[in-house]
C-alpha cells in the first residue's frame, strides 16, 4: 500500500505599504487623514511643508479663496474653472481684506505730492494725516514718509518736532541779552564758534516800530519759527 503524504506549504505573503505620498495630492480635513509624516494644510490637502493650491472644479470667477501664506492670495480664475495666485508684496494677504491688504498697517506714505497719509491699523484704508506746505517726502533709507521741513544749518533736526511755544512777539524796546539764559528757549553749543541763544516758536513777530531794539551778549541770537 502506497501512502502519499501531502505536505502543504504555507507561504506568508508580505505586502509593502508606502506611506510617503506626494505633497498636495490627498484631500483632508484633519492631520489623521494624511499618511506618514504629512499634515493637513490650510487648503485641505496633505502636505509635508509645501504650499498647496486647492483642487477646484468650479468657482465664482475672480472670487477670493484663501491666503496660501502671509503675502499670497488665492483667487478663482477668470473662467471659474481653476485658481490663480496673486503676490501681495509688503501689505500682505488677509481674509478680512478678502485678498491683498490695501496698505501696510500703520505705515506712513505720501498719498500725493503734498499730502502725508497713514494706513489704518487693519490695513484696509489710507487716511490723510497732514497737508504738507513744503511737499511730502517718500520713505527712503530707513526714514519714514514725512512732510518736508526747513532744517536750520547750524541746528540740525531742530524742526523735527513742533515748537513748545505757539507764538513769540518782540514788541518791547531795549536790549535782548543773550547771556541771560532765561532769554533763550535753548542754548546750543558749537564746536567752532560762539554758542547760540535759540528762541523758538510756532510764529515769531517783531514789531516794525522797534527800530532801536538790539540783541547783546556773547551768544548769537537765532530766531526759529515753525
Amino acid at each position: 500500500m502506497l501512502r502519499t503524504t501531502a505536505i502543504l506549504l504555507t507561504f506568508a505573503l508580505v505586502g509593502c505599504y508606502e506611506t510617503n505620498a506626494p505633497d498636495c495630492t490627498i484631500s483632508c480635513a484633519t492631520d489623521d487623514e494624511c499618511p506618514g509624516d504629512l499634515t493637513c494644510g490650510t487648503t485641505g490637502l496633505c502636505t509635508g511643508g509645501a504650499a498647496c493650491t486647492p483642487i477646484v472644479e468650479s468657482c465664482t470667477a475672480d472670487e477670493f479663496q484663501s491666503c496660501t501664506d502671509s503675502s499670497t492670495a488665492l483667487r478663482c480664475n477668470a473662467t471659474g474653472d481653476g485658481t490663480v495666485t496673486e503676490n501681495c508684496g509688503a501689505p500682505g494677504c488677509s481674509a478680512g481684506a478678502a485678498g491683498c491688504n490695501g496698505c501696510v498697517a500703520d505705515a506712513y506714505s505720501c498719498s500725493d505730492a503734498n499730502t502725508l497719509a497713514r494706513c489704518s491699523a487693519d490695513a484696509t484704508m489710507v487716511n490723510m494725516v497732514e497737508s504738507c506746505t513744503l511737499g511730502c517726502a517718500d520713505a527712503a533709507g530707513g526714514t519714514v514718509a514725512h512732510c518736508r521741513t526747513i532744517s536750520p544749518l547750524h541746528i540740525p533736526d531742530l524742526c523735527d518736532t513742533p515748537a513748545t511755544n505757539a507764538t513769540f512777539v518782540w514788541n518791547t524796546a531795549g536790549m535782548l541779552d543773550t547771556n541771560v539764559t532765561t532769554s533763550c528757549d535753548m542754548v546750543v553749543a558749537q564746536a567752532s564758534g560762539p554758542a547760540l541763544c535759540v528762541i523758538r516758536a510756532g510764529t515769531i513777530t517783531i514789531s516794525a516800530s522797534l527800530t532801536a531794539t538790539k540783541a547783546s551778549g556773547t551768544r548769537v541770537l537765532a530766531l526759529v519759527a515753525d
Side-chain angles (χ1 to χ4, degrees):
M1 177 177 170
L2 178 64
R3 174 181 288 182
T4 302
T5 302
I7 300 175
L8 300 178
L9 299 177
T10 302
F11 295 92
L13 299 178
V14 179
C16 295
Y17 176 64
E18 176 60 57
T19 60
N20 294 323
D23 287 3
C24 310
T25 59
I26 301 175
S27 297
C28 61
T30 66
D31 291 344
D32 293 338
E33 298 177 2
C34 297
D37 295 330
L38 301 184
T39 57
C40 192
T42 58
T43 56
L45 295 172
C46 295
T47 175
C52 299
T53 299
I55 300 171
V56 178
E57 295 181 358
S58 65
C59 54
T60 302
D62 299 320
E63 184 179 60
F64 171 71
Q65 301 293 308
S66 65
C67 294
T68 59
D69 58 38
S70 62
S71 61
T72 307
L74 185 74
R75 294 187 175 278
C76 183
N77 63 19
T79 53
D81 57 2
T83 57
V84 293
T85 57
E86 179 182 1
N87 185 357
C88 298
C93 179
S94 70
C100 296
N101 293 318
C103 51
V104 177
D106 296 320
Y108 288 93
S109 63
C110 295
S111 59
D112 59 46
N114 298 299
T115 305
L116 179 66
R118 188 178 188 182
C119 181
S120 59
D122 61 2
T124 59
M125 65 179 67
V126 176
N127 302 306
M128 175 182 170
V129 174
E130 184 179 353
S131 179
C132 305
T133 303
L134 300 178
C136 186
D138 290 314
T143 302
V144 300
H146 59 279
C147 285
R148 298 181 187 277
T149 59
I150 296 175
S151 180
L153 179 62
H154 298 289
I155 320 173
D157 306 322
L158 179 65
C159 295
D160 286 354
T161 56
T164 302
N165 300 319
T167 60
F168 172 78
V169 179
W170 194 354
N171 57 9
T172 303
M175 287 285 188
L176 189 153
D177 189 352
T178 61
N179 287 335
V180 178
T181 302
T182 54
S183 298
C184 317
D185 290 322
M186 66 174 66
V187 175
V188 178
Q190 297 190 96
S192 58
L196 304 178
C197 171
V198 180
I199 294 178
R200 173 127 190 260
T203 61
I204 294 177
T205 302
I206 300 176
S207 175
S209 62
L210 300 182
T211 55
T213 298
K214 296 181 179 179
S216 64
T218 56
R219 297 170 180 156
V220 175
L221 179 62
L223 303 176
V224 181
D226 286 356

